[in-house]
Each structure stands twice: as structure tokens, then as C-alpha cells.
Amino acid sequence: MRFENLSIVVPVYNAEKHINNILINLAKIPDVAVIMVDDGSNDDTVFKIEQFISNNRLLKWRLIKPGHRGASGARNVGISEVKTKYVMFVDADDEIDIDAFLNLENLLYKDFDFLSIGQVHVNEFTDNLSDEYRKTLIFSMLGLKSFEKLDSINTKLSCPGPVSKVYSVDMLNEHSIHFPEEVVHGEDLLFNAAVVSKAKSIMFSSESIYLYYNNVESVSKAIRYDVVKNHFNFMDILLSICECNELISQKDKSAIKLICEINDNTALILQNSKATMIPFYTSDANFRLVKRRKIIHLLLLKCGMKSIIKKIVLNNRNAHYETSNSLREVQRY
């Protein structure tokens, strides 16, 4: 089994605690190129990577040290260094199910722009992407409903992030698709939205290859980015992607704005319950596209019931993690 068509980009930052796991894990994939991009670590991450590459004589592995640019910047640097036909992304504290991954070998000798991998999928290849289908995939990433009539069985990606996916490097370069470094939260969704808007062919695989580790200890950590600035940067880029490709109507645009206003106002409350809310513009929104629980959040937000919103969100998070017997809960994609 050979994976010479594939490069794996791994952004790393102060990952000494778990870095050996992913290094050993990826070394089991034959002939794959691995690009480790250090984002300015100040622990032993770099030393451990250099030692591992040297000791195991991994000639197709590289460590790049561009300095601190954030996860998006690190991934963009990685993309610029790729020499293979396809690229995928893995986070430093996650792992690949190698046995399942090896089943993808034959797919990587086929031609496609984008491959989404996960147990939510049915195996499928489509090279006739309608605007309605592109919009449906983007709406699913945003948590919006879609009522389009589609031929495809697969109406959502395996997850909104860049993991558990394979991208054509030529397609990314042709359309200058990159991770927006001015967006701290939601940048990976924007990357996938840009890919979906430009891809000429998409392949889906039902394999479950990606082990995503949630750090239970970090669930209640504070939101440390500028939510308002991030909101408007995110909205500008997302609407530009959709409008430039003529994927949405005015009512669709209003629904997108509304769901983002609900999500980001909720984040604002979690960050600082006394913060000034982002204004809601609901006059022409298509509420049919918004899921019921988000409508409830909207009503609570507009009534100023910040403490109730905060309690609901934190209770939902705690309920999800309270049954975990480990500090690192795994989720499969």
C-alpha cells in the first residue's frame, strides 16, 4: 500500500505532552509525506519532532518553523510546501485509525477536488455539483436547514473542520483558497465553504479514520478572542464566498446573518455577560431555515435573558462530558 500522492500537514504548538502519539501514528502510513509546522513552541515539541525524524530516517518528513502565526497561518505555510497531488490536515493531539485509513489507498489514485471521509457518509462520487447542492453543504456546516431537492445522498460533510478530508492541491492553488488568518473562530468552516464553492468534483467515503480528542479539562475555559471583531470578519468572508458564486438569495443571506448573530451573541455572553450584544437584523430572515433550538436562543437573547442562555449552554456541555472516564474523550469521524 502506497500513499505517495498524499501530504499530511500537522500544525503544532506546545504539543510536547501528546506529540509522540501522532508521530508514531503517522509513521505507520507508507510513503506519505508529512509536514510538521511549528507555530512558535516554547517547550520540547520541536526537539521531539527533530529527534523522531532523525532516529527513524523519515526522508519524506519535514519540520518547518515559520514562527507564531496561529493555526490558520501554520496550515497555510504547510499548503505552500506541499509537493504532492493531495493534502490533508491532522491536529497534533489527534490520531488516525491506521487500519481504516489504509482502505483509502485506491481512492487517492483517482481524480477529485475534494474527499470527505466519515461514518455519516455513503460512498459516492459526484462531478455535477449544482448551486443548490453547494448551498446545502454550506448550510449544513452553519447548522441551517435546507429544503433543496437533490440527487445526492450526502448532504453534509463529515465535520465542519478540515480534518478527515483530502483536498486537491491544484484546486486550492488555482482558486487561491487558504485559511483566513484574520478569523480566529470559524476559519476552518470558511476554508471548507470556499472549497465547496469551487470544487468541480467531490468524493465521499464511509470509512471512519479520524480520532478527534476533546480535552475535558478545557471545556469551561474562557473565550479569549475578540468575538465582535471575529463575527464581522467571518461574516464578510462567508457572504463574499456565497455571493461571488451566486449561491444565495437575499432571504438566505439574512438567515446566515441571523444564525451567526445568535451563535456569536451566545459566545459574547459566555465571555462577559455584561458585554453589548451584536445587533439582530431579523426583518427579512427566512426563519424556516433556522432550527428550533436556535429560535429559542434568539427569543431568550432578545428578551435579555443572558443568565438563562449561559446556564443552558454550560449545562449542555457538562451533560456531554460528565459521563467521561478520561480527561481526553475521543470522537470518531
Side-chain angles (χ1 to χ4, degrees):
M1 296 183 179
R2 294 292 179 263
F3 290 85
E4 64 266 17
N5 280 349
L6 179 67
S7 291
I8 299 177
V9 172
V10 186
V12 296
Y13 177 73
N14 288 349
E16 65 175 6
K17 185 176 180 180
H18 302 296
I19 194 65
N20 283 336
N21 293 337
I22 191 61
L23 295 174
I24 294 169
N25 184 241
L26 296 181
K28 297 176 183 177
I29 303 175
D31 287 339
V32 72
V34 175
I35 302 172
M36 311 292 295
V37 186
D38 179 63
D39 194 39
S41 298
N42 52 28
D43 61 2
D44 284 337
T45 297
V46 169
F47 172 76
K48 288 187 174 184
I49 295 171
E50 290 176 335
Q51 188 178 54
F52 187 87
I53 293 174
S54 175
N55 289 348
N56 293 278
R57 299 180 181 180
L58 298 168
L59 302 180
K60 297 184 71 174
W61 287 44
R62 285 180 289 159
L63 171 63
I64 301 171
K65 296 177 279 187
H68 184 60
R69 291 178 53 177
S72 289
R75 289 181 180 129
N76 289 335
V77 169
I79 292 172
S80 70
E81 296 290 331
V82 171
K83 308 299 181 185
T84 54
K85 183 175 182 178
Y86 296 116
V87 62
M88 69 177 294
F89 302 95
V90 175
D91 289 341
D93 54 354
D94 297 334
E95 292 181 27
I96 297 292
D97 182 328
I98 299 300
D99 289 339
F101 185 83
L102 294 179
N103 292 330
L104 300 176
E105 179 191 16
N106 290 335
L107 295 185
L108 295 181
Y109 286 94
K110 299 181 183 296
D111 291 322
F112 57 84
D113 284 340
F114 180 38
L115 166 63
S116 183
I117 309 157
Q119 53 194 347
V120 300
H121 293 321
V122 173
N123 293 335
E124 184 181 24
F125 173 82
T126 179
D127 57 0
N128 184 25
L129 279 68
S130 65
D131 289 345
E132 291 77 15
Y133 186 51
R134 298 179 197 273
K135 184 177 81 171
T136 297
L137 291 177
I138 293 173
F139 273 26
S140 71
M141 288 187 266
L142 290 166
L144 289 171
K145 300 177 184 177
S146 177
F147 298 97
E148 305 292 347
K149 294 182 179 180
L150 305 171
D151 294 329
S152 176
I153 301 171
N154 297 287
T155 56
K156 63 181 180 180
L157 303 183
S158 54
C159 61
V163 300
S164 199
K165 299 174 182 66
V166 178
Y167 305 87
S168 162
V169 177
D170 285 344
M171 184 266 299
L172 296 180
N173 291 335
E174 178 184 354
H175 299 289
S176 300
I177 297 174
H178 61 276
F179 290 88
E181 296 180 39
E182 65 271 38
V183 175
V184 179
H185 181 74
E187 75 287 354
D188 40 12
L189 187 154
L190 294 174
F191 180 82
N192 281 329
V195 168
V196 167
S197 73
K198 296 298 185 183
K200 295 179 181 177
S201 58
I202 297 181
M203 186 176 292
F204 296 91
S205 169
S206 61
E207 291 289 344
S208 176
I209 67 161
Y210 199 88
L211 306 179
Y212 173 79
Y213 286 95
N214 286 309
N215 186 348
V216 177
E217 290 181 314
S218 68
V219 173
S220 60
K221 284 185 177 179
I223 296 170
R224 303 189 186 282
Y225 61 93
D226 186 329
V227 175
V228 176
K229 180 180 179 181
N230 192 84
H231 169 81
F232 288 107
N233 286 342
F234 179 91
M235 288 299 309
D236 286 346
I237 296 172
L238 179 60
L239 293 178
S240 176
I241 291 170
C242 293
E243 290 175 338
C244 286
N245 295 282
E246 300 181 346
L247 299 180
I248 57 173
S249 66
Q250 183 59 41
K251 283 188 174 292
D252 293 334
K253 180 178 178 179
S254 297
I256 291 173
K257 285 185 175 182
L258 179 58
I259 194 67
C260 292
E261 288 159 1
I262 294 170
N263 292 339
D264 289 332
N265 275 317
T266 301
L268 266 178
I269 290 172
L270 294 176
Q271 185 182 62
N272 178 8
S273 58
K274 296 182 180 180
T276 301
M277 296 290 97
I278 299 167
F280 286 103
Y281 298 99
T282 59
S283 58
D284 59 347
N286 186 349
F287 287 93
R288 290 179 66 241
L289 301 177
V290 182
K291 294 180 180 179
R292 183 184 176 191
R293 64 184 178 87
K294 291 296 183 179
I295 296 293
I296 294 172
H297 277 207
L298 172 64
L299 294 174
L300 292 172
L301 286 166
K302 296 194 76 172
C303 291
M305 298 181 179
K306 297 180 180 180
S307 61
I308 296 178
I309 285 285
K310 188 171 184 177
K311 186 175 181 179
I312 290 172
V313 173
L314 293 180
N315 283 346
N316 286 342
R317 290 185 181 182
N318 291 335
H320 179 76
Y321 289 102
E322 66 184 1
T323 58
S324 176
N325 296 319
S326 170
L327 292 179
R328 298 182 75 218
E329 182 192 59
V330 64
Q331 185 172 354
R332 293 189 67 101
Y333 290 116

